[in-house]
Amino acid sequence: MKKINILLICLILASCGPKLPEIAPDVVTEPTRHDTDDPAIWINRENPEESIVFGTDKNTDGAIYAFDLDGKIIESKTLRNLKRPNNVDVEYDVKLADGSVTDIMIFTERELEQIRIFSVPELKPLDNGGFKVFQDTRENEMSLPMGISIYRSPKSEKTYAIVGRKNGPKEGYLHQIELVPSENGFAPKVVREFGLFSGKKEIEAIAVDDELGFIYCADEGHGIRKYYAEPDMGNEELALFGGEYFKDDIEGIAISVYPDGKGQIIVSDQQQGTFNFFSREDNSFEYALNLGTTETDGCEVTTVALGDKFPNGLFVSMNDNDEKNFFYHDLSRLKEPVKTEK
């Protein structure tokens, strides 16, 4: 019996693959109250060192926390008393009804079955209290929004929310919602229902490449799906890739953007405790890194220099719900693969 157990343990360890050296974070944020999930980075273009990292605290008594670049909570910019906020994203220079522009933050509030929109950095609500989503069905958690990302079309200058849910049909798992400027900020207009689903687990992480016009989403037990971001380009799935490189759940997605279409699709391998890097150009696998986080749900990246603190850009990743925090890494530390150790 002991020999069998030892053999089983060896097989399990072998299946996890070689151990990657840990790249310790440059900054660890102060903890949230409940359960961190997903970050977004708002770049202060007038003073990059005063940029803000927003992060969800996923609970019935939840919040959108605001952190400075030292990882300290900015209480004046933190939104509390939210009903299980899940994923969050930001966009810049979005047009309002009066012709002015504002930066916005958008997030899902799962237990109220809605999405919320606030101006940044003022945090003025622009949604008349929230937009209900997925109200066509009341069963199997299909009405509960989870993942969200923003697409601002270079062609039409329209702004869209791409929203996923806790569970959904095999076709039409995602909704694309135009954020139409209105007297109170924005009004929602569903422009398409699209996206395939394996039915294995769920689709939470969504990321949009505004420049190249692609949407990526993580079908957690299956692979990374890719679609056109422009609604009039059709609902055809352009690629399904990466599944063989993950131990189990395929989670947070971040896109590093460099000139000439270069950059990477960075995806959390949740149970492996690592991140897989894929080419932004052809979506081929490049390498994996261990950044010290465990059970990572969400991540985000910017290639913009954020002053002396993060001169090469910033990568933010959620750390497990025991520590309830986010890790910051200067982006220069993630550019090259490291050698693995047995």
Side-chain angles (χ1 to χ4, degrees):
M1 181 63 71
K2 288 183 179 179
K3 290 182 179 180
I4 294 174
N5 287 341
I6 291 171
L7 178 59
L8 180 60
I9 291 170
C10 290
L11 289 172
I12 291 172
L13 291 174
S15 70
C16 296
K19 181 181 179 181
L20 292 170
E22 179 180 324
I23 303 174
D26 296 294
V27 171
V28 176
T29 69
E30 294 181 324
T32 66
R33 288 184 61 190
H34 301 292
D35 181 10
T36 50
D37 192 272
D38 185 55
I41 304 168
W42 176 73
I43 301 165
N44 185 327
R45 289 167 289 182
E46 294 183 1
N47 189 352
E49 288 192 344
E50 294 184 4
S51 298
I52 299 172
V53 173
F54 292 103
T56 60
D57 187 28
K58 188 175 60 178
N59 191 271
T60 295
D61 178 26
I64 301 291
Y65 278 80
F67 301 94
D68 63 21
L69 295 187
D70 292 318
K72 304 298 184 184
I73 295 170
I74 309 170
E75 191 59 43
S76 63
K77 301 296 182 184
T78 294
L79 300 175
R80 297 189 182 275
N81 302 312
L82 301 172
K83 298 299 183 183
R84 202 173 182 83
N86 221 107
N87 284 29
V88 61
D89 199 11
V90 299
E91 188 57 89
Y92 302 87
D93 298 329
V94 178
K95 285 187 176 182
L96 299 174
D98 63 4
S100 63
V101 297
T102 184
D103 299 345
I104 63 171
M105 174 180 65
I106 188 169
F107 59 90
T108 52
E109 194 172 10
R110 192 201 301 185
E111 290 183 6
L112 295 183
E113 302 178 359
Q114 65 181 11
I115 61 176
R116 300 298 315 271
I117 306 174
F118 288 80
S119 66
V120 182
E122 302 84 4
L123 295 185
K124 174 186 175 182
L126 298 173
D127 54 12
N128 202 29
F131 306 144
K132 297 292 183 182
V133 290
F134 305 125
Q135 296 299 289
D136 54 328
T137 180
R138 316 301 305 167
E139 60 183 31
N140 298 329
E141 300 182 311
M142 290 189 185
S143 62
L144 304 180
M146 289 182 64
I148 196 164
S149 191
I150 306 173
Y151 172 56
R152 189 161 68 87
S153 168
K155 181 173 70 172
S156 67
E157 297 188 348
K158 292 180 179 180
T159 303
Y160 302 92
I162 316 299
V163 190
R165 41 187 156 177
K166 180 67 176 172
N167 194 9
K170 295 293 184 69
E171 297 184 15
Y173 196 101
L174 306 175
H175 282 191
Q176 184 159 355
I177 301 171
E178 182 182 349
L179 304 180
V180 181
S182 68
E183 182 180 353
N184 295 316
F186 298 99
K189 177 184 177 183
V190 178
V191 297
R192 67 167 170 163
E193 302 175 14
F194 71 105
L196 302 178
F197 174 46
S198 67
K200 295 177 180 178
K201 291 192 174 182
E202 61 194 26
I203 297 175
E204 180 178 3
I206 304 168
V208 181
D209 189 330
D210 279 6
E211 182 183 277
L212 298 184
F214 297 124
I215 296 168
Y216 295 90
C217 63
D219 193 334
E220 288 189 9
H222 195 61
I224 303 159
R225 300 185 183 273
K226 180 180 180 180
Y227 302 93
Y228 287 118
E230 287 290 346
D232 61 6
M233 292 289 286
N235 298 338
E236 173 191 1
E237 184 168 274
L238 303 175
L240 172 63
F241 64 94
E244 66 271 29
Y245 296 100
F246 292 84
K247 179 181 178 182
D248 198 350
D249 287 354
I250 305 167
E251 280 284 354
I253 303 175
I255 304 173
S256 65
V257 176
Y258 291 97
D260 302 321
K262 297 186 183 301
Q264 293 172 307
I265 313 300
I266 307 170
V267 188
S268 166
D269 188 349
Q270 189 174 47
Q271 279 71 43
Q272 187 71 9
T274 59
F275 293 85
N276 288 328
F277 290 68
F278 300 87
S279 166
R280 183 174 172 234
E281 295 175 284
D282 63 8
N283 302 147
S284 61
F285 176 79
E286 294 183 344
Y287 55 89
L289 294 179
N290 174 7
L291 303 183
T293 60
T294 57
E295 290 292 328
T296 299
D297 274 298
C299 56
E300 187 56 284
V301 66
T302 179
T303 57
V304 174
L306 302 182
D308 294 335
K309 295 176 181 176
F310 296 97
N312 304 288
L314 171 64
F315 183 76
V316 180
S317 52
M318 164 262 177
N319 194 29
D320 77 353
N321 60 7
D322 289 329
E323 298 186 32
K324 307 172 185 176
N325 53 24
F326 295 91
F327 284 8
Y328 297 177
H329 286 80
D330 186 89
L331 197 54
S332 65
R333 304 178 66 207
L334 278 61
K335 285 186 177 180
E336 299 296 333
V338 296
K339 294 181 179 180
T340 60
E341 298 175 350
K342 294 292 185 181

